[in-house]
Amino acid sequence: MSEARVSGSAEDGIPCLWMRGGTSKGAYFLASDLPADPAERNALLLRVMGSPDPRQIDGIGGADPLTSKVAVISLSASEEADIDYLFLQVFVDQPLVSDAQGCGNILAGVGPFAIERGLVPVAGDETPVRIRMVNSGEIAVARISTPGGRVNYNGTTAIDGVPGSHAAVPLMFQNVEGSMCGALLPTGNAVDTVEGYEVTLIDHGMPCVILRASDFGITGEESREELDGNTGLKAKLEKVRLACGPLMNLGDVTEKSVPKMTLVSPAKAGGAISTRSFIPHRCHASIGVFAAVSVASACLQKQGPASEIAVLPKDGRFSIEHPSGATEVFMDLAPDGSVKAAGMIRTARKLFEGRVFPVGS
């Protein structure tokens, strides 16, 4: 794309669909509407969101990592997928745009977007959309409610962290183990000791460091706000995170949004386990989709901070508790206990459609 075309597009506004996907919100774009050069694209997206600024006052971001996200979507050249989905995390208070991770919550809006934009034809009352997650190269299948030939966002499915009820968006994942780290357990161990703490380093769709909340002097019942205000805790977690990066084949993670730091404690409301997840420097209001899958997988290990306290379900439906309630993960287990596939029910909603104007310096 030429410089002249990029500048003209920015001045005239760029087509954008603002959507809630799961417990996140983000800007959804066609790849063809953004600069092809990643540096130009990222500079533009910082202006779109209004970063770096803790309030994101000069952009459409919501001053929170959960509302400063971007999906870039195009037709896929892969025979296994209908569309390609690149997730980008736009940092709120830093001039950074990261593709170092995927996002399963924003993924929930990708199928509806693809249908809304005509990339995928409606196939009946329910339309399956095969999505190649560019960040990891893996395939997810979303099933979108499409009665009457159009996307339906209304329904009776409720998820914790989102008010009301909406149409269900079932998501299924296969072969996402080691999506970024190369292996489910990148060190080959269910337990490692890092900076004096016992941890499970795991990647079942999202690189996570699983730690005992009690090892950090907390109960795991604290609110998001209380944990965000605990600067001592966050400094300890960051020290561990930086040490875990190379161990997880992620290299120097100083300016990366992975791995996620997840503190676990016994479930309080009948679930499998309770979590407080940092993404990576702020406490998540709930828990990310792939992080929840990684936590459920950690519960299945023979040892580790998660497995030693988890209450394993008999039906493979793991209720992962978090500050806003719980997220249910479906684990399809083989007879030998390995995971054949993982799934989750999310919801999504179109919030507005129009043009965004990322002009200015």
Side-chain angles (χ1 to χ4, degrees):
M1 181 177 290
S2 69
E3 181 65 32
R5 182 179 175 185
V6 172
S7 299
S9 296
E11 293 174 357
D12 298 335
I14 299 171
C16 174
L17 198 60
W18 186 250
M19 299 187 73
R20 176 186 62 77
T23 55
S24 295
K25 285 193 293 188
Y28 290 66
F29 296 97
L30 290 173
S32 57
D33 288 329
L34 295 175
D37 177 71
E40 292 181 31
R41 178 200 65 204
N42 292 350
L44 183 146
L45 293 176
L46 287 169
R47 297 199 301 273
V48 165
M49 289 297 179
S51 297
D53 172 26
R55 295 188 299 159
Q56 291 184 319
I57 197 67
D58 199 37
I60 63 175
D64 188 292
L66 302 183
T67 57
S68 187
K69 300 184 173 187
V70 170
V72 182
I73 298 160
S74 60
L75 285 171
S76 182
S78 169
E79 294 183 357
E80 297 180 339
D82 301 307
I83 59 171
D84 285 350
Y85 152 54
L86 172 67
F87 170 73
L88 297 171
Q89 178 70 61
V90 182
F91 282 58
V92 174
D93 55 0
Q94 300 180 60
L96 295 175
V97 178
S98 174
D99 64 357
Q101 65 174 79
C103 179
N105 276 303
I106 291 297
L107 172 66
V110 171
F113 174 92
I115 297 170
E116 294 265 12
R117 286 287 189 261
L119 301 181
V120 175
V122 170
D125 288 345
E126 184 179 81
T127 300
V129 182
R130 301 173 303 160
I131 303 165
R132 187 175 77 94
M133 299 174 287
V134 174
N135 304 76
S136 65
E138 307 297 346
I139 305 294
V141 177
R143 308 194 73 86
I144 310 303
S145 175
T146 51
R150 61 186 302 174
V151 177
N152 169 49
Y153 297 99
N154 299 318
T156 59
T157 298
I159 60 174
D160 287 337
V162 178
S165 61
H166 306 82
V169 180
L171 301 170
M172 287 300 298
F173 316 106
Q174 290 182 314
N175 304 318
V176 294
E177 299 94 333
S179 61
M180 296 179 63
C181 300
L184 177 69
L185 300 172
T187 65
N189 305 317
V191 181
D192 290 286
T193 299
V194 180
E195 298 293 330
Y197 298 99
E198 286 191 344
V199 302
T200 295
L201 308 181
I202 194 164
D203 175 11
H204 201 144
M206 177 63 68
C208 288
V209 179
I210 312 296
L211 314 101
R212 298 183 191 92
S214 59
D215 285 351
F216 291 83
I218 65 173
T219 66
E221 298 182 51
E222 291 82 0
S223 69
R224 181 194 193 195
E225 292 73 22
E226 185 176 353
L227 293 177
D228 268 340
N230 190 336
T231 55
L233 167 66
K234 292 167 73 173
K236 292 177 183 177
L237 289 176
E238 182 64 2
K239 186 176 182 180
V240 176
R241 193 180 79 88
L242 294 177
C244 289
L247 297 176
M248 301 182 75
N249 302 317
L250 297 171
D252 182 358
V253 296
T254 303
E255 295 188 349
K256 294 181 180 179
S257 53
V258 289
K260 309 300 186 187
M261 308 300 288
T262 304
L263 299 169
V264 296
S265 59
K268 313 299 190 300
I273 199 166
S274 179
T275 64
R276 294 295 185 269
S277 183
F278 287 78
I279 53 172
H281 304 125
R282 293 182 67 177
C283 185
H284 202 302
S286 54
I287 189 171
V289 167
F290 292 115
V293 173
S294 290
V295 169
S297 191
C299 292
L300 291 167
Q301 301 305 308
K302 293 183 179 180
Q303 56 181 325
S307 64
E308 67 188 23
I309 60 173
V311 178
L312 298 182
K314 296 180 180 179
D315 60 358
R317 299 164 78 99
F318 287 73
S319 178
I320 308 298
E321 297 179 6
H322 53 68
S324 302
T327 294
E328 192 170 65
V329 176
F330 311 109
M331 304 292 272
D332 184 8
L333 303 179
D336 64 359
S338 63
V339 179
K340 294 192 295 183
M344 184 175 292
I345 300 293
R346 298 279 84 187
T347 65
R349 189 165 79 86
K350 179 171 64 173
L351 301 176
F352 74 75
E353 182 176 9
R355 291 177 175 267
V356 64
F357 296 86
V359 294
S361 59

